[in-house]
Amino acid sequence: MASKARYDVELWSADGVRICEITHLVRDLSWSEERNEAEVLQFNMDLDAFEDYMENKVKADVPSNFREGQTEIKVKENGEYLFGTQLYYAPIELDNKGSATINITAQGYLNFFKDRYPNPTITYSNTESVEIFYDLVRQAQAVTNGDYGVIIPASGYYVTGVTRDRTYELYTSSTKLNMQRLTNLESGNFDFKFLADKTLMTYAQLGSPRTDFLIDFNRTKKRSAFDRATLNRGANNLFNQVIGIGSGFGADQLISIKNDTASQVEFGLRQTAAQFNEVKVQATLDENAQARLDKVKQLLRMPQITLSGADVPATRIEVGDILPVRFSGRKLIEDMTGLYRVERKEVKVDENHFIKEMTLYFEKTGEYIG
């Protein structure tokens, strides 16, 4: 059964007060969601219609209730809040035919921290990974004018059971980057997500295995469960030696070299340098370099699949879901069959506010048997 989800859009103030719904004004609505990354929301509105609605129906001052860097925009799916964003960019296009259009881009709450840096230097010793993660947010919000209203839950969040030593030097790397790097190491990995009310939750892993939905393509029978796909194949991002570069200079600079011997035997030595300037501890640098190697040591074999609105299942596809994907009928596509985790999804909504299409980007997690 295809999805019948309807999407609505609301304006909110930065301090958590709902201003109004603007769904009837929104055109070309689209957004992207990515694991452990900020959402990006885009749409446009007719300038005259928007101002008339705000002034005559909502009885609200337009400039103070539609302000870049302050106003928040939330998306609802069938009446349930899906995610929240902050208005980031809103250029207005005018033409000589009388058209006036606002083009809106809004970004998810994680990007509150992309331009924030540790101040002063913060050090953690033998501390649970998720506690470090949350404390980075606490520290960022504790400074003067630094509180964005992000909520750290009192309970119900995931903890890894893995303790770490970390030092975050003054102004070396952003709070956002420091948060993200904690999620993807050799051990003790976790995912996180901002809820629409700014609650920041952690999870062992976003999404779940999906046995209810098979993405199937048969070249011989000309049968397809999707609208279109690109099957990415290449060695353009294949590296089997990662040279991790940490803090320091000259003879004092930390270096970690990680190798994948099997890949080097098959493809020859392929080196890449990875900067981790904020890392001052050798063991931490080793973890980061190994995590990077694990992502780049194999040939690229990754589908990018676009589902039409009719192809999207009734049960929402979440970032992190593991989907079975089967290609058959030609040898150069059959080796793309497997279980794939959704790393990113891009959604476009039609004029009736239902899904027009959804594009899925993956990482491979296993072999498909079926």
Side-chain angles (χ1 to χ4, degrees), residues 109-116 137 140 150 174-176 194:
Y109 299 139
L110 176 60
N111 277 357
F112 286 151
F113 303 103
K114 73 180 180 65
D115 300 316
R116 300 291 301 279
V137 175
V150 170
S174 72
T175 297
K176 174 184 174 179
F194 282 86

Side-chain angles (χ1 to χ4, degrees), residues 10-26:
E10 295 178 347
L11 296 185
W12 285 63
S13 69
D15 56 359
V17 176
R18 182 181 181 275
I19 300 169
C20 64
E21 182 180 318
I22 57 171
T23 307
H24 64 290
L25 300 169
V26 168

Side-chain angles (χ1 to χ4, degrees), residues 7 28 77 102 139 168 188 191 197 249 280 286 290 293 366:
Y7 296 91
D28 300 323
E77 181 186 75
I102 317 171
Q139 297 285 346
Y168 298 103
D191 288 336
D197 67 353
F249 298 93
K280 299 178 66 176
D286 292 341
Q290 184 62 50
L293 178 65

Side-chain angles (χ1 to χ4, degrees), residues 112-263:
F112 286 151
F113 303 103
K114 73 180 180 65
D115 300 316
R116 300 291 301 279
Y117 295 84
N119 181 17
T121 295
I122 308 172
T123 298
Y124 302 95
S125 178
N126 197 33
T127 305
E128 155 68 44
S129 298
V130 170
E131 176 55 30
I132 296 174
F133 174 83
Y134 277 139
D135 196 61
L136 289 170
V137 175
R138 292 190 194 99
Q139 297 285 346
Q141 295 203 124
V143 302
T144 303
N145 298 320
D147 190 351
Y148 286 107
V150 170
I151 300 167
I152 296 175
S155 62
Y157 55 89
Y158 172 75
V159 294
T160 67
V162 176
T163 60
R164 303 191 190 279
D165 299 329
R166 287 291 186 274
T167 296
Y168 298 103
E169 292 187 332
L170 179 68
Y171 303 133
T172 301
S173 57
S174 72
T175 297
K176 174 184 174 179
L177 181 59
N178 292 336
M179 293 165 66
Q180 290 174 318
R181 282 185 172 167
L182 281 167
T183 69
N184 190 20
L185 297 168
E186 279 189 274
S187 61
N189 295 337
F190 63 96
D191 288 336
F192 67 88
K193 181 178 182 179
F194 282 86
L195 306 185
D197 67 353
K198 296 185 186 175
T199 299
L200 176 55
M201 296 298 300
T202 59
Y203 308 87
Q205 180 175 296
L206 283 172
S208 58
R210 297 287 295 269
T211 58
D212 62 306
F213 182 58
L214 168 66
I215 299 178
D216 188 29
F217 178 86
N218 188 303
R219 182 66 176 169
T220 303
K221 297 181 179 179
K222 302 189 184 316
R223 184 179 67 230
S224 174
F226 52 78
D227 186 58
R228 60 188 185 276
T230 299
L231 308 187
N232 294 295
R233 304 171 60 92
N236 47 313
N237 287 302
L238 172 66
F239 302 102
N240 44 43
Q241 183 184 92
V242 170
I243 305 162
I245 302 173
S247 68
F249 298 93
D252 295 326
Q253 187 164 54
L254 286 182
I255 298 291
S256 177
I257 299 177
K258 294 294 181 179
N259 294 281
D260 188 276
T261 304
S263 178

Side-chain angles (χ1 to χ4, degrees), residues 9-12 22 29-33 37-44 66-75 83-91 102-112 114:
V9 182
E10 295 178 347
L11 296 185
W12 285 63
I22 57 171
L29 176 64
S30 66
W31 68 85
S32 65
E33 299 173 61
E37 185 53 89
E39 299 87 353
V40 178
L41 176 70
Q42 295 182 306
F43 59 92
N44 63 70
F66 189 77
R67 190 168 177 81
E68 300 86 353
Q70 288 187 346
T71 301
E72 295 181 9
I73 305 175
K74 301 190 182 187
V75 175
F83 61 86
T85 60
Q86 186 182 74
L87 179 60
Y88 178 72
Y89 188 53
I102 317 171
N103 295 306
I104 291 100
T105 298
Q107 298 181 348
Y109 299 139
L110 176 60
N111 277 357
F112 286 151
K114 73 180 180 65

